[in-house]
């Protein structure tokens, strides 16, 4: 039997392994070290690029996936990225031509409707949304749910869910939308969920799974959680602050 004791874990290395935040990076006089400063500038540039970039349906999702899922593109009442950033209210309402196209292309009253919104990070859509969308559609079909035709909304804010709910009357709407990029990652996606969203609904009527990216919530975990919440919504006929996730390893239970 060896008398050698295991090497103690360096507390600094342990802390750094738990977060992408800039902690314990040291300093040079009153300033960051050069390597830290250069990485900060790189991440800031990536965040700015993610906000300004545009989603391209064919480039980002691929022709095969578009054909298989029937993906198509519409936009909100914002007519450009610049207007979208200046006028958040326009990103919450579908353009009139979008309303007509969705009405013509999507089935009414499905159990499960997935929508993709570019939001504030085209990078997050490109890196996270295609695989997660496939997982969600597959999981819904495996449960014999009726699944609406997915589509992309450009210049999208979360409130557009209300217009979609009023237009298509699905039971559950899932909006996959690019999060505001930070200096840890520009690739983070959020999934907003609502039961029968309609005009007048607010964030209190929605649930959220955030930080979907390579160093956060994985696509597989996000898909499982989204589908579980959708199941709960349908059973409870509700979503939002009255409905809580039951996550493995916690004592959290749905509210009565």
């Amino acid at each position: 039997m060896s008398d050698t004791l295991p090497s103690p874990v360096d507390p600094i290395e342990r802390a750094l392994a738990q977060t992408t935040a800039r902690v314990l990076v040291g300093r040079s006089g009153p300033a960051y070290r050069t390597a830290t400063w250069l990485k900060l500038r790189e991440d800031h540039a990536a965040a700015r690029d993610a906000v300004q970039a545009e989603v391209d349906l064919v480039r980002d999702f691929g022709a095969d996936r578009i054909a298989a899922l029937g993906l198509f593109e519409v936009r909100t009442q914002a007519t450009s990225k610049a207007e979208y950033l200046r006028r958040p209210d326009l990103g919450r309402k579908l353009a009139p031509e979008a309303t007509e196209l969705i009405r013509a292309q999507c089935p009414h009253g499905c159990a499960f409707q997935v929508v993709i919104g570019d939001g504030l990070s085209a990078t997050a859509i490109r890196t996270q949304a295609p695989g997660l969308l496939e997982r969600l559609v597959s999981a819904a079909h495996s449960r014999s749910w009726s699944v609406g035709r997915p589509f992309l909304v450009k210049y999208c804010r979360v409130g557009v869910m209300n217009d979609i709910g009023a237009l298509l009357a699905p039971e559950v709407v899932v909006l996959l939308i690019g999060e505001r990029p930070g200096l840890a990652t520009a690739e983070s996606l959020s999934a907003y969920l609502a039961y029968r969203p309609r005009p007048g609904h607010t964030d209190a009527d929605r649930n959220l799974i955030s930080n979907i990216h390579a160093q956060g919530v994985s696509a597989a975990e996000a898909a499982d959680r989204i589908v579980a919440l959708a199941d709960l919504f349908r059973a409870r006929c509700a979503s939002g602050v009255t409905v809580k996730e039951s996550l493995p390893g916690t004592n959290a239970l749905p509210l009565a």
Side-chain angles (χ1 to χ4, degrees):
M1 184 175 180
S2 173
D3 294 329
T4 304
L5 296 176
S7 301
V9 176
D10 186 325
I12 294 179
E13 291 184 1
R14 182 178 180 183
L16 292 175
Q18 300 300 311
T19 180
T20 56
R22 287 171 178 80
V23 296
L24 305 172
V25 294
R27 60 187 175 90
S28 178
Y32 284 129
R33 291 172 177 168
T34 300
T36 304
W37 174 246
L38 291 175
K39 187 65 171 68
L40 176 64
R41 299 300 299 162
E42 177 188 359
D43 291 343
H44 185 251
R48 289 174 61 91
D49 287 348
V51 171
Q52 295 294 339
E54 300 272 1
V55 174
D56 183 290
L57 192 63
V58 175
R59 179 197 65 202
D60 297 338
F61 286 82
D64 291 344
R65 186 179 285 111
I66 291 170
L69 297 176
L71 280 169
F72 64 98
E73 177 183 310
V74 297
R75 68 168 176 82
T76 63
Q77 292 180 8
T79 58
S80 68
K81 179 59 69 76
E83 185 174 49
Y84 164 77
L85 294 173
R86 291 195 308 268
R87 293 283 306 275
D89 57 310
L90 296 180
R92 301 185 186 109
K93 302 292 292 182
L94 291 169
E97 61 271 23
T99 297
E100 294 307 314
L101 184 59
I102 292 169
R103 182 181 287 116
Q105 296 292 330
C106 296
H108 189 270
C110 289
F112 193 71
Q113 175 70 56
V114 184
V115 180
I116 303 127
D118 52 1
L120 289 168
S121 178
T123 305
I125 297 302
R126 183 173 64 251
T127 55
Q128 314 300 337
L132 180 53
L133 174 62
E134 287 186 335
R135 288 176 181 273
L136 290 174
V137 171
S138 176
H141 281 309
S142 72
R143 288 162 173 75
S144 299
W145 293 349
S146 55
V147 180
R149 183 175 178 181
F151 54 91
L152 167 70
V153 181
K154 292 192 71 173
Y155 312 137
C156 178
R157 302 278 180 175
V158 173
V160 82
M161 296 173 74
N162 294 352
D163 271 11
I164 293 166
L167 184 61
L168 296 178
E171 282 191 84
V172 177
V173 174
V174 179
L175 175 65
L176 306 179
I177 189 168
E179 292 179 5
R180 184 187 306 275
L183 295 178
T185 180
E187 299 182 355
S188 190
L189 189 77
S190 283
Y192 283 84
L193 301 90
Y195 180 79
R196 298 196 183 279
R198 55 191 178 272
H201 275 196
T202 69
D203 282 342
D205 302 293
R206 306 175 187 123
N207 293 69
L208 168 65
I209 298 170
S210 62
N211 294 299
I212 303 170
H213 58 89
Q215 295 175 301
V217 179
S218 69
E221 180 185 352
D224 288 345
R225 290 173 62 184
I226 290 167
V227 171
L229 270 173
D231 252 334
L232 189 57
F233 291 176
R234 299 182 72 209
R236 296 278 306 278
C237 297
S239 61
V241 295
T242 62
V243 180
K244 304 296 183 184
E245 280 188 275
S246 294
L247 296 176
T250 73
N251 295 320
L253 295 173
L255 297 180

